Amino acid sequence: MAWTGGCQCGAVRFRVEGDLGRASICHCRMCQKATGGPFGAFVTVQRDDLTWTRAEPQRFQSSNIVRRGFCAACGTPLTFETDRSTDLSIFAFDRVGEITPVIQLEPERSPAWVAHVAGLPVVVAPTGHFDRIISHQHPDHDT
């Protein structure tokens, strides 16, 4: 099975041929800052299975062992890379709903409110609210 994905603007796209590895969420402070969220969600891929089909990400050396790939045009976080492994951001995949994390790393580093997100009230936008929005995001498929 092939997996595709990319950044928000479509400047960087990838394809993974083969099975995905372990999917995880990491609450460490570096993942929080790199993704701009309460955790990073990543899935391991075999480097030989990964092809950058439209440009490659820019990379930032976030620590002595980790480089993080991102789109230089729109800023979308894309990779978590070490000398031994490559992980791709789960939310960069086109079929994001088919990838389920199976492990958490450093949950004690996450803000306490993360544990209560599922219980927050849900606000439903009025009918037609989103009709006026014209998305400039790349669609969730190769073009």
Side-chain angles (χ1 to χ4, degrees):
M1 173 187 283
W3 296 87
T4 58
C7 67
Q8 186 176 20
C9 73
V12 179
R13 295 283 299 163
F14 62 81
R15 182 178 185 86
V16 178
E17 295 283 346
D19 295 331
L20 301 177
R22 181 189 76 175
S24 63
I25 57 175
C26 180
H27 301 268
C28 82
R29 187 64 181 132
M30 278 199 292
C31 283
Q32 290 170 352
K33 288 191 84 152
T35 62
F39 53 79
F42 297 98
V43 62
T44 304
V45 299
Q46 295 296 316
R47 284 190 176 135
D48 291 344
D49 293 345
L50 173 61
T51 303
W52 296 103
T53 59
R54 189 179 300 160
E56 282 209 28
Q58 293 292 307
R59 289 173 172 95
F60 170 68
Q61 190 80 40
S62 63
S63 75
N64 61 320
I65 61 170
V66 175
R67 291 186 323 153
R68 293 177 186 269
F70 61 95
C71 174
C74 68
T76 300
L78 295 167
T79 71
F80 175 99
E81 303 171 41
T82 70
D83 289 341
R84 296 188 301 189
S85 65
T86 296
D87 288 35
L88 295 174
S89 173
I90 291 173
F91 290 102
F93 280 83
D94 294 333
R95 299 190 330 262
V96 65
E98 296 179 33
I99 304 168
T100 303
V102 296
I103 190 171
Q104 293 187 69
L105 306 166
E106 298 195 50
E108 69 280 359
R109 303 284 303 267
S110 202
W113 58 260
V114 170
H116 309 289
V117 169
L120 291 175
V122 175
V123 176
V124 178
T127 302
H129 174 76
F130 293 105
D131 293 345
R132 63 184 174 83
I133 298 172
I134 300 169
S135 175
H136 297 289
Q137 292 188 154
H138 189 272
D140 283 339
H141 56 81
D142 284 332
T143 56

